[in-house]
Amino acid sequence: MKTVMQAAILIGGKGTRLGNAVAETPKPLLEVCGRPFVEHVMCNLRRFGFTDFLLLAGYRAEVVKERYGPDCSFARTLGANIQVVVEPQPLGTAGALQCAAGYLHDEFLLLNGDSIFDFNYLDLCRGSCANEPDNWLARVALLPVQEADRYGFVELDGAVISAFREKPDTPQSGLINSGVYWLKSAVLEHIGSTPCSLEQDVFPRLIEQSGLIGRSYRGYFIDIGIPQDLERARKELTNKLRRPAAFLDRDGTLNYDEGYTHRIDQFRWVEGAKEAIKALNDAGFNVFVVTNQAGIARGYYEPEQVTVLHTWMQEQLAMCGAHIDDIRFCPHHPEGTVAPLAVACDCRKPGTAMLEDLITQWQPQLEHSFMLGDAEKDAAAGRAVGITGLQVPTGGILQAVTERLQAYARSTPATD
Ligand SMILES: [Mg+2]
């Protein structure tokens, strides 16, 4: 998987159903919970490692360019690259994508800037499943709903999408298209004359050659296309995107503790560790790694080597559809030899500064959060910040995480 992952976001639509609210502002830039809605979309994608954003603008594009043009402060804060591509006139979703042809990666995510579907995006990007044909051009994230009254249905034949159905006359349950796609750039070859709609013109052509795959996910979904749902988003979005967090120790928990592991050739994943992280991603948890790296204070290795190793870990995880949201490491030790780092600090576990820093930045929901590690000091650090502390021997992470997630599922109602 590419280290730089790209997401193209459609923000060019007129949003006519919102009336005066969009007279001056494109719908995805309407303020929701303290910031333009599309920034919630981008912040969520950044968690999964997306760092290259293409905003496909049209209606009121000047507002988009002013806010997200070169040197935009939001992009700097996010640690991402944002480019605005403007369609000269309304060309439909596929036409807007065609305008960005020169910027697109071989594979990229495409989604709507006026909706959020909260699921594990990396699962949609990861390699083919056994029952999927190799010649796919687009993967569609599907959402099971109880009452598909606003959207049409999607029909599956195994993993392949066989049809899109019109909105049913009476509400009924089924799968809907969430508007989140993982596309190969070759899909552009199927765009004919514009205006052209991806959903109405291009996808039916892909269905004819079995090139459209569906993967179904559960998760919070909101589309601010109608006034009631815009109001609902303004009331609930912040809370809906607050997640419980799993704070994980590294050495002896995710990898075998060989003593001062700091190079890729020394790193051996514990069986089940990657699967445990993916299960947490799928369940909507934030996943954080908090690790004591006293080897830095002792002069055995440099912080940069730790960062290189962690980047490699993220690449390994992405290949199986998993990711870590954020990592903190403590470089100190009171008996170290590198002068400024040879101190008693607040961050070395069982100290809590690494966990507190993550809690301040990410604002997780603490009720179901936990800290898991192979040492008592890991569990103690968790308890000290008011969350469950679990000491689990090396090799036990998958079972322990599975049990936590089962308890979490029992205590929270389904989202749909
Ligand atoms: Mg450990």
Side-chain angles (χ1 to χ4, degrees), residues 324-341:
I324 297 162
D325 288 289
D326 210 344
I327 302 178
R328 293 288 183 277
F329 61 88
C330 165
H332 308 109
H333 194 281
E335 292 156 25
T337 55
V338 179
L341 302 175

Side-chain angles (χ1 to χ4, degrees), residues 132-138 160-163 184 186-191 201-213:
E132 294 175 348
D134 293 331
N135 63 339
W136 66 274
L137 289 176
V160 175
I161 294 178
S162 54
K184 288 187 180 167
V187 85
L188 295 174
E189 293 159 20
H190 296 262
I191 300 172
D201 302 318
V202 179
F203 284 175
R205 288 173 204 152
L206 299 188
I207 284 177
E208 283 171 23
Q209 50 180 266
S210 303
L212 200 57
I213 283 173

Side-chain angles (χ1 to χ4, degrees), residues 249 251-253 374 378:
D249 169 51
D251 300 327
T253 301
D374 65 313
D378 298 315

Side-chain angles (χ1 to χ4, degrees), residues 383-403:
R383 290 193 299 270
V385 297
I387 61 174
T388 304
L390 299 170
Q391 185 181 0
V392 174
T394 301
I397 181 170
L398 182 56
Q399 191 188 336
V401 163
T402 304
E403 286 166 10

Side-chain angles (χ1 to χ4, degrees), residues 249-255 257 290-292 349 372-375 377-378 392 394:
D249 169 51
R250 199 192 78 182
D251 300 327
T253 301
L254 300 180
N255 56 287
D257 191 352
V290 283
T291 173
N292 290 350
K349 293 173 290 183
L372 183 156
D374 65 313
K377 64 189 169 200
D378 298 315
V392 174
T394 301

